[in-house]
Amino acid sequence: YSFSLIICPYLSDGLLRGNSSGLSLLRANRARTWQMSLLPLAALVHLAAGLAHASLDPAKAITQYVRQTWQAGSGLPHNTVMAMAQTADGYVWLGTEEGVARFDGDRFTVFDKRNTPELRNDFIFSLLADSQGNLWIGTRGGLTRYSKGRFQSFASPKGLPTESILALYEDTHGTIWIGTSGGGLVQYRDGSFHTFTTTSGLADNTVYAVTGDRYGALWIGTHNGLSKFSGGTFTSYRAADGLGSDDVRATYVDSAGTVWAGTNEGGLARLGPGGFTRWTTKDGLSNNTVLSLYEDRSRTLWARTLGGGLNRIVNGQLVTLKNAASFGAEGIESIFEDREGSLWFGTLAGGVTRLRDGPITTISKEEGLVSDSVLAVYQDKEENVWIGSDQGLERLKDGRFT
């Protein structure tokens, strides 16, 4: 049954129908026949004028994006997704605890040590799609490169100091940098490996993260400090310099050139002209152990913390997302943005979830409504929206409910 209809001034040829399941959009197609899209459990739907944005709209709550999840039942080899990347041919690759999966938008193709001998271990720590169209796969059992349909394995006898590959990064010159567990930082260029360790000036031989800035410097997160590698020389920063902890698990250089470091039990640190600025749980951070950082195209910085917490920083403001735990059984493991602007979250035991923007935004109890059962909707001349529900009357004005 329909309880109400509203013709929105900002919608040229559409109707909203309110019922016990929420609101439905009815829009005429070119043949002028009416088509209905039912939004189950929706409460209030705002219709955007244009198509989906190139990236996620940072003004929206995480519950307002279009969401889709894939798990082992959908073809993933394992529900824990440790790393993600997209190659030049458009495929999305997902590294799991039981091999790497290639996703074409419809189905998964799985590569593991049973069908791909060049993958010497199925536990995938890191993935990198380089500028030449190659995919680099860091595992517990060495490094593998996928190029032009063929896999090639690199292990300790071939120049790597250890087989546990934790991080991968390509610099502006096409050099591949490899962070290892206990073996230091490895440079791969022109078919040869060169290793940097503490004897070279690196802060520690366990390297969790590698990134680079616009000046060509590398920023390396290690078990004993943040190292900067520039001009052949290492400079290291530790807790005594304002980091909050010597154990640096994540590094990132954002689009403005700012260096960020996520630490173990020391919070999130940003390096500026005056030194480090820190965010901890006292400032709203979900946990003081920050495990990964990622900036999307809308310049939102995402910070994943221990225990599955998810935070984002928009225009310098930190927001902790309360619904992140719903992505997976035990939280988020990896974050990645594809070329279409969709954001992917690899989870611990919950598969992979993709969030994308769309022309329809849902507003429900999670965003402030007192009830998800909307019976009537009206917009007055002052552009206030009035919502009648089984729990009373509400007014939406300037983004706030009364």
Side-chain angles (χ1 to χ4, degrees):
Y1 296 94
S2 297
F3 299 124
S4 60
L5 287 174
I6 177 173
I7 300 177
C8 301
Y10 44 81
L11 181 63
S12 60
D13 60 349
L15 295 174
L16 291 180
R17 186 185 75 170
N19 54 42
S20 59
S21 298
L23 288 180
S24 301
L25 163 64
L26 289 80
R27 174 172 282 164
N29 60 20
R30 291 182 180 179
R32 304 308 295 175
T33 58
W34 289 94
Q35 297 177 329
M36 183 182 72
S37 300
L38 179 63
L39 305 178
L41 302 180
L44 179 65
V45 180
H46 171 265
L47 301 166
L51 297 174
H53 296 287
S55 59
L56 296 187
D57 181 357
K60 291 184 179 181
I62 200 166
T63 53
Q64 294 179 304
Y65 302 121
V66 179
R67 174 175 169 175
Q68 188 169 4
T69 298
W70 295 269
Q71 296 182 329
S74 309
L76 267 179
H78 194 275
N79 276 338
T80 295
V81 179
M82 306 291 293
M84 294 174 285
Q86 186 174 24
T87 45
D89 52 16
Y91 287 112
V92 173
W93 296 77
L94 302 100
T96 78
E97 292 184 3
E98 294 185 4
V100 61
R102 185 180 66 192
F103 186 53
D104 63 5
D106 183 39
R107 59 178 57 89
F108 295 93
T109 302
V110 177
F111 303 92
D112 55 30
K113 62 182 182 181
R114 292 173 297 180
N115 60 22
T116 308
E118 294 83 2
L119 275 174
R120 300 177 66 248
N121 193 291
D122 286 340
F123 198 108
I124 311 299
F125 279 125
S126 53
L127 293 174
L128 169 68
D130 70 18
S131 59
Q132 302 302 309
N134 305 312
L135 179 74
W136 297 82
I137 307 166
T139 79
R140 274 183 176 172
L143 178 66
T144 299
R145 180 177 62 190
Y146 178 76
S147 179
K148 299 178 181 178
R150 294 186 177 183
F151 290 90
Q152 180 182 1
S153 177
F154 302 90
S156 295
K158 295 184 179 180
L160 285 173
T162 180
E163 294 190 347
S164 190
I165 309 300
L166 303 181
L168 294 165
Y169 174 74
E170 182 186 19
D171 66 21
T172 55
H173 301 290
T175 300
I176 305 299
W177 296 89
I178 305 153
T180 73
S181 178
L185 176 68
V186 182
Q187 177 193 63
Y188 180 79
R189 184 169 59 190
D190 299 328
S192 300
F193 292 98
H194 179 76
T195 301
F196 300 89
T197 64
T198 53
T199 59
S200 313
L202 185 66
D204 191 87
N205 286 337
T206 293
V207 175
Y208 296 112
V210 186
T211 190
D213 63 26
R214 62 183 64 174
Y215 304 107
L218 294 180
W219 295 86
I220 307 121
T222 80
H223 186 61
N224 190 34
L226 173 67
S227 287
K228 176 184 179 182
F229 184 60
S230 179
T233 303
F234 287 96
T235 303
S236 294
Y237 304 86
R238 295 183 171 85
D241 301 302
L243 263 180
S245 170
D246 290 344
D247 194 354
V248 180
R249 297 301 181 97
T251 59
Y252 201 88
V253 179
D254 66 23
S255 54
T258 302
V259 178
W260 298 80
T263 71
N264 182 19
E265 300 184 351
L268 175 64
R270 180 183 65 190
L271 181 59
F276 288 99
T277 301
R278 290 174 55 216
W279 283 267
T280 67
T281 52
K282 295 179 180 179
D283 305 296
L285 194 66
S286 57
N287 191 289
N288 282 334
T289 295
V290 179
L291 299 174
S292 64
L293 298 166
Y294 191 90
E295 185 188 38
D296 65 25
R297 278 179 241 172
S298 67
R299 299 190 176 182
T300 296
L301 183 73
W302 299 81
R304 175 179 71 91
T305 64
L306 184 67
L310 185 63
N311 312 262
R312 61 182 178 184
I313 297 177
V314 184
N315 298 325
Q317 299 298 313
L318 173 68
V319 178
T320 299
L321 303 176
K322 298 179 181 179
N323 303 91
S326 65
F327 284 0
E330 299 179 45
I332 295 168
E333 279 290 315
S334 52
I335 307 171
F336 155 75
E337 185 181 35
D338 65 23
R339 294 196 195 105
E340 296 179 351
S342 299
L343 211 60
W344 298 67
F345 295 90
T347 73
L348 180 64
V352 61
T353 292
R354 181 184 65 188
L355 298 183
R356 57 186 176 87
D357 236 335
I360 298 177
T361 301
T362 300
I363 303 174
S364 67
K365 289 175 67 175
E366 295 189 35
E367 288 77 47
L369 280 180
V370 296
S371 173
D372 281 342
S373 183
V374 175
L375 307 178
V377 184
Y378 177 74
Q379 185 180 46
D380 63 27
K381 294 180 180 179
E382 296 178 354
E383 297 189 354
N384 300 310
V385 176
W386 298 85
I387 306 109
S389 73
D390 58 356
Q391 297 296 317
L393 178 67
E394 288 179 89
R395 181 185 68 186
L396 177 59
K397 181 179 181 180
D398 299 328
R400 295 184 178 181
F401 289 99
T402 303

